[in-house]
Amino acid sequence: MKGLLLRLSSLDADAAAAMRVIAHFQALLSDGAVDPVVLVRSTAGLAQCPAGLELADGRRVRFASDGVALPGVPGHVSGSVDLRPAGRVWLERDGAEGPFDALLLEWMAIAAMVGGRGRSVPSPQAADPALVELVLSEREAIADRTRALRLLGLHPGLPLRVVAVSGDAGADPGMEAVMLLARCELPAAVRVATVGSLAAGLVQPHDGTDSPAGPLREAMTERRHERLPGGERSRGLRLGVGGSVAPAQAGASWAQARIALRFAVTGVPEEEVADHDALGPLALLAEVPAARLRSEPGVRALAELSGQDGGALSLAALAAFCRTGSLRQAAAALHLHHSSVAARLSGVETALGWRLRDPNDRLRAQLALYAWRLSTGE
């Protein structure tokens, strides 16, 4: 952590400040259960404004930035996050929100929910990007990769998986990845760093090799229900999960994670996290050159449809129907009336020349949809 902060300080003062926020809460979580008084008092001092916490049983804790306890209810809340199953955390900043208030609130909420139950698994850690890149490299000597693993606090003899994370343009995917993985409470050692335009998460389970895809989907759903100042924090986030490999082959899992990421779809809850193991033979589509995919008649038809008025909704209806196999379930997933979805699918059938009720044609349509997404870089 210290090495990463020094690197960031020389590159981007804002990035270093944000990492210090994360390091603060990771330190609180490292000792297990987090006392509500300690959490709120330290957050108020970090934010330099009053902070508060309401627990599920109705108890309320408030502190000023100088560490003095505040009585009663807050007069002005500048930002808040609801806790699950009940409660909330908030800041009481006068005037405009601070640049890191959303980050502070999210980590305060994580500490309140996770630390309040007593933490039995380690918190994900932001890592030195140079060490993570070394672990992921297939060109470096195994001895050098093993040394990097040890410096990261990972075991060179235990299998690991790599998770690739892509976020909104302008956002730091590394910070988004650390926050999301913190919600998962994975029984694993997790190290995260920004690598190019993506974040790479090294996930080394303490026992077993289960994929973190399921917990990641649950964490994405949880975040989607929490509206923070400035909008949805999970919007634009996509994840790809690589296979379980020996640490010396981490580069192979990283390659698989990036392939899986190409199948993940922004804004579609069921498809925001793609698992390479679950893709199976579908992953082979990623090896086909984009130009060849675009030349396939079904893909061309989808491309033409996407450019028409309402084309995006028609493709969303196709994806939902292929995923569920049911008109009503597709309509429920899209929050539309089933007759509207039926009309959209009728237009898709006309464009493709296939009958979606026919299992073979539906399979062809689903493959064409995957190929179209891959060919457009989505």
Side-chain angles (χ1 to χ4, degrees):
M1 175 64 75
K2 182 179 178 182
L4 175 58
L5 291 177
L6 290 173
R7 282 169 58 98
L8 287 172
S9 296
S10 66
L11 298 173
D12 189 332
D14 286 344
M19 290 306 304
R20 290 189 182 98
V21 170
I22 295 175
H24 169 84
F25 288 101
Q26 286 180 337
L28 285 178
L29 287 165
S30 64
D31 294 329
V34 181
D35 182 80
V37 170
V38 173
L39 173 61
V40 178
R41 181 189 286 131
S42 67
T43 301
L46 187 64
Q48 286 298 291
C49 74
L53 163 64
E54 183 177 307
L55 299 168
D57 60 10
R59 286 183 295 154
R60 187 180 295 111
V61 183
R62 294 176 65 219
F63 276 93
S65 60
D66 58 3
V68 175
L70 299 173
V73 298
H76 169 70
V77 174
S78 58
S80 68
V81 172
D82 291 334
L83 305 180
R84 290 174 176 266
R88 66 169 180 153
V89 295
W90 67 84
L91 296 178
E92 304 172 33
R93 190 182 301 283
D94 292 332
E97 298 168 0
F100 302 107
D101 280 4
L103 186 66
L104 275 162
L105 283 167
E106 178 142 2
W107 272 96
M108 188 181 182
I110 289 171
M113 291 187 292
V114 175
R117 295 193 292 269
R119 191 174 181 90
S120 59
V121 295
S123 175
Q125 295 181 15
D128 188 330
L131 290 177
V132 172
E133 289 183 24
L134 182 56
V135 170
L136 298 178
S137 173
E138 296 182 317
R139 298 188 302 272
E140 305 298 333
I142 291 181
D144 293 333
R145 282 180 268 163
T146 300
R147 179 174 179 274
L149 278 163
R150 293 189 184 279
L151 289 173
L152 289 168
L154 299 175
H155 196 295
L158 295 178
L160 58 75
R161 292 177 186 266
V162 184
V163 178
V165 182
S166 174
D168 282 324
D172 187 328
M175 294 178 193
E176 293 280 1
V178 171
M179 290 187 289
L180 187 67
L181 285 161
R183 287 180 176 270
C184 295
E185 300 185 65
L186 297 172
V190 181
R191 302 294 183 266
V192 181
T194 301
V195 178
S197 62
L198 304 175
L202 305 179
V203 180
Q204 189 170 63
H206 292 165
D207 52 68
T209 56
D210 288 344
S211 172
L216 284 167
R217 290 191 185 97
E218 292 177 6
M220 291 282 281
T221 300
E222 183 178 282
R223 293 187 75 201
R224 192 175 298 108
H225 290 299
E226 295 176 0
R227 292 192 175 274
L228 298 176
E232 289 283 347
R233 295 288 294 168
S234 61
R235 186 178 181 183
L237 209 58
R238 296 183 300 125
L239 296 94
V241 180
S244 178
V245 297
Q249 280 76 52
S253 185
W254 174 232
Q256 292 174 351
R258 285 177 291 158
I259 289 173
L261 184 65
R262 295 180 61 192
F263 287 86
V265 183
T266 301
V268 181
E270 297 81 3
E271 299 188 66
E272 288 173 327
V273 180
D275 187 341
H276 189 272
D277 286 352
L279 287 173
L282 275 177
L284 296 175
L285 271 178
E287 299 180 10
V288 181
R292 185 172 180 183
L293 291 174
R294 286 193 291 268
S295 68
E296 200 280 325
V299 175
R300 288 205 310 269
L302 291 181
E304 293 174 4
L305 183 61
S306 69
Q308 299 175 7
D309 289 341
L313 188 53
S314 294
L315 292 181
L318 173 62
F321 182 72
C322 288
R323 186 171 60 249
T324 65
S326 163
L327 179 61
R328 292 191 178 275
Q329 290 182 35
L334 296 172
H335 305 290
L336 295 173
H337 192 274
H338 65 87
S339 62
S340 177
V341 174
R344 296 284 175 181
L345 293 178
S346 177
V348 172
E349 287 181 325
T350 300
L352 294 175
W354 300 332
R355 294 181 58 81
L356 296 176
R357 289 291 182 183
D358 182 289
N360 290 328
D361 280 359
R362 187 162 66 250
L363 175 60
R364 293 167 66 192
Q366 189 162 28
L367 289 174
L369 184 61
Y370 281 128
W372 173 73
R373 288 172 177 172
L374 292 171
S375 73
T376 58
E378 293 191 27

